[in-house]
Amino acid sequence: MFIGFDYGTSNCSVAIMKDGNPTLLPLEGDRFYIPSTLCAPTRESVSEHLFRHCNISPSDEIGKQILRRSLAYNQDEGIDLAPEDIVFGQAALELYLRDPRDVYYVKSPKSFLGASGLHEVQVSFFEDLVCAMMANIKNKAEENTQEIITDTVIGRPINFHGRGGELANKQAESILIKAAKRAGFKNIDFQFEPVAAGLEYEATLNKDQIILVVDIGGGTTDCSLIQMGPSYRNASDRSDSLLAHSGQRVGGNDLDIFIALKQLMHLFGMESQSLSGIKMPLLQFWNPIAINNVEAQKDFYSRQNLTALTRLKQEAKEPEKIARLLEIYNETLGYSIVRKAEEAKIALSDEANYLARIALINETLEIDIQREQIVEAIESPKSKMIELVKEAVTQGGVKPDAIFVTGGSARSPILHEAIQQQLPNIPIVKGDDFGSVTAGLARWAEICFK
């Protein structure tokens, strides 16, 4: 049996083909979309969980070394790992929010797969994370279908990482393939996410058209200019109909991070001054919320940085604000801050203002955010997204008949307005914001594995 598998930055989903149409499968209760999150007692618990409770062995010698260290660490710490100690999706987020300090929490490991400069141990650990998430999803899908799933088409962005080029793409694909095989998939193929979304839209067309697919996901924005319609449908080779591609690692997560930076981090001392009149260093406010940057997170939560933050508080004109920044460090609150920004972004899609509340140990911070402030905050990532739209059309050398917009961040009216300004008088068609890619992957899987 085959599935289309959208292993997304924000959410994961899978679909099968049933009576000629894609059907999404519930993965968390009755929900079709499971957040791309994992929570465990310790970082080391992931490898042990795969080996002890899933009967999944490491894929190479580096993985075996990680497993041995993990087993030894958890034994020394007196951690007796039970199967239910590793949780995924919304349950993982809720567990993290209850006590951020005492758990290991990771969101969106897909964001890191193409990162430059990863050591072998880091690559192997990301493979474990992805494998654990994939194995959980595969098990849920098999419970639902009552069949063994052996084949899958996995969606991938045009580029996993903006700076790594094709080497980054190969690194990310390698991690996904190894993780998927360890999770139990036998035959694995890939399809570009915007192409997959386009295949789902193509099923609705009764005449050939040139469509610009704009897929604004959590981690990347990808654009494909595609010839599609009845003449192309069900073809096993679509290379001639793909006129142009563009993609970069800028997506919904970046919008959230920039909103957090511009609208929330001044509550923690950003742009405040030391007693000598020097502004506080910007990196101390960027790094904790740069949740899609391995090095930024590592630098902020390092032991050396605790010393630096303590010194900043001693030298600050407003030490109470830097004390809040220290609380972010001590309670690992970076993800929580970005989540508050995401909530504001979603609310301000429909409302003119939003009251954000951030609960700390001894106080609750409140700030009223206006929609105009969100527009200003996301200007930098928004501009990069629109450049990708422009690049795809320029590469293809032809204007599209319609623009098909999909992805979790495609709901933003701010982004719709920006796309319309770039390509005026071309109709924008909305897809299923979360499900179009998954459905298209299932359609492509049917072509690959029939």
Side-chain angles (χ1 to χ4, degrees), residues 217 238 329 358 417 438:
R238 296 299 296 260
Y329 177 97
I358 303 173
E417 291 166 10
T438 318

Side-chain angles (χ1 to χ4, degrees), residues 221 257 291 308:
T221 294
I257 289 167
I291 58 173

Side-chain angles (χ1 to χ4, degrees), residues 364-380:
T364 296
L365 307 176
E366 293 187 348
I367 179 170
D368 190 54
I369 304 175
Q370 308 296 315
R371 189 179 180 203
E372 292 76 14
Q373 293 174 311
I374 293 291
V375 175
E376 182 181 346
I378 67 172
E379 179 58 34
S380 176

Side-chain angles (χ1 to χ4, degrees), residues 16 91 121:
I16 61 172
V121 171

Side-chain angles (χ1 to χ4, degrees), residues 284 303-316 319 322 325-326 329-330:
Q284 291 289 14
R303 285 187 176 276
Q304 299 95 310
N305 198 42
L306 177 59
T307 302
L309 291 172
T310 303
R311 187 168 60 250
L312 283 181
K313 181 186 173 187
Q314 293 169 347
E315 298 171 352
I322 306 303
L325 186 62
L326 272 161
Y329 177 97
N330 291 320

Side-chain angles (χ1 to χ4, degrees), residues 245-259:
H245 286 312
S246 64
Q248 189 178 343
R249 205 191 78 164
V250 55
N253 283 352
D254 297 275
L255 301 179
D256 302 336
I257 289 167
F258 271 84
I259 293 168

Side-chain angles (χ1 to χ4, degrees), residues 285-357:
F285 305 94
W286 173 260
N287 285 350
I289 58 173
I291 58 173
N292 54 4
N293 186 316
V294 177
E295 291 304 315
Q297 294 283 285
K298 180 180 175 183
D299 288 347
F300 183 77
Y301 290 109
S302 67
R303 285 187 176 276
Q304 299 95 310
N305 198 42
L306 177 59
T307 302
L309 291 172
T310 303
R311 187 168 60 250
L312 283 181
K313 181 186 173 187
Q314 293 169 347
E315 298 171 352
K317 281 185 180 179
E318 300 175 278
E320 71 281 0
K321 290 185 177 180
I322 306 303
R324 295 170 185 164
L325 186 62
L326 272 161
E327 188 169 333
I328 292 179
Y329 177 97
N330 291 320
E331 304 298 324
T332 322
L333 296 180
Y335 283 108
S336 298
I337 302 297
V338 176
R339 180 166 173 77
K340 291 299 178 183
E342 181 185 17
E343 290 172 358
K345 178 188 70 176
I346 293 170
L348 290 167
S349 292
D350 301 315
E351 304 294 335
N353 63 289
Y354 175 76
L355 183 64
R357 292 184 175 89

